[in-house]
Amino acid sequence: MVPTHMFLTRGVGVHKEKLTSFEEALRSAGVEYCNLVSVSSILPPHCKIIPRKQGEKLLKPGEITFCVMARSETNERNQLVSASVGVAKPTDHGTYGYLSEHHAHGETDEETGEYTEDLAAQMLATTLGVEFDPNVAWKEREQVFKMGGKIVQTLNMTQSAVGKKGKWTTVIALAVFIPPENVQARPRR
């Protein structure tokens, strides 16, 4: 199975039980009805990124659903947690791209999101032979990557939250792959 479509989503859950906090984060992300299987970091060639609502309509309750997932949790009051998935798409749609995930404590949405975008872009750049200086800031490298003409798009999906007293707080970010047969079938909703 090589997915032809993917969507990005995120969620946050808060509950006194750790597992229920995760379940609430899945509900917030709109994928609680799927059996999620985490996979590694390849964005398949020709894989189209679609809006979340469109992607949710293509999933079936109970199906095995492949995703790249970032997850972070805390039960400490006032602790900032974040989770992010970064995407780097090559200009040549027949070439694979990269996804990256990062989970952090104490990083803002912007810091975590930029980090995952940078990770995905670096992995793609090294595969494509794009030369770059890893010691310069992400914004400078981003321009080098895009001006080189081999990386067309980078983006991220990030969720953060602050822990609550006496509760678990879970944040998730996901890149959800749609099975090819679901794209041709009638949407479920």
Side-chain angles (χ1 to χ4, degrees), residues 83-97:
S84 182
V85 172
V87 181
K89 290 179 71 173
T91 303
D92 176 1
H93 298 287
T95 302
Y96 63 89

Side-chain angles (χ1 to χ4, degrees), residues 4-37:
T4 57
H5 292 74
M6 180 194 84
F7 69 94
L8 298 170
T9 187
R10 64 186 180 172
V12 61
V14 178
H15 196 273
K16 68 178 185 166
E17 297 295 332
K18 185 177 182 180
L19 182 60
T20 307
S21 172
F22 177 57
E23 170 67 17
E24 288 191 4
L26 292 173
R27 287 181 186 167
S28 176
V31 293
E32 77 284 356
Y33 54 88
C34 297
N35 288 306
L36 300 173
V37 177

Side-chain angles (χ1 to χ4, degrees), residues 40-90:
S40 62
S41 57
I42 299 300
L43 177 67
H46 304 289
C47 189
K48 182 178 178 187
I49 300 174
I50 60 175
R52 172 183 165 173
K53 292 296 180 196
Q54 183 182 349
E56 287 175 5
K57 291 177 183 178
L58 296 171
L59 295 174
K60 299 173 189 164
E63 85 178 317
I64 303 298
T65 305
F66 296 99
C67 67
V68 173
M69 180 190 314
R71 171 182 174 180
S72 190
E73 56 216 354
T74 188
N75 65 349
E76 292 184 31
R77 179 175 54 180
N78 298 327
Q79 184 178 44
L80 176 64
V81 290
S82 58
S84 182
V85 172
V87 181
K89 290 179 71 173

Side-chain angles (χ1 to χ4, degrees), residues 121-154:
Q122 284 187 52
M123 289 187 291
L124 181 56
T126 57
T127 300
L128 298 174
V130 175
E131 303 226 357
F132 63 93
D133 180 355
N135 298 314
V136 300
W138 160 238
K139 291 296 181 191
E140 291 177 54
R141 274 197 311 275
E142 181 180 27
Q143 294 308 310
V144 169
F145 292 154
K146 291 181 179 179
M147 288 170 57
K150 292 184 179 181
I151 299 176
V152 67
Q153 182 183 29
T154 62

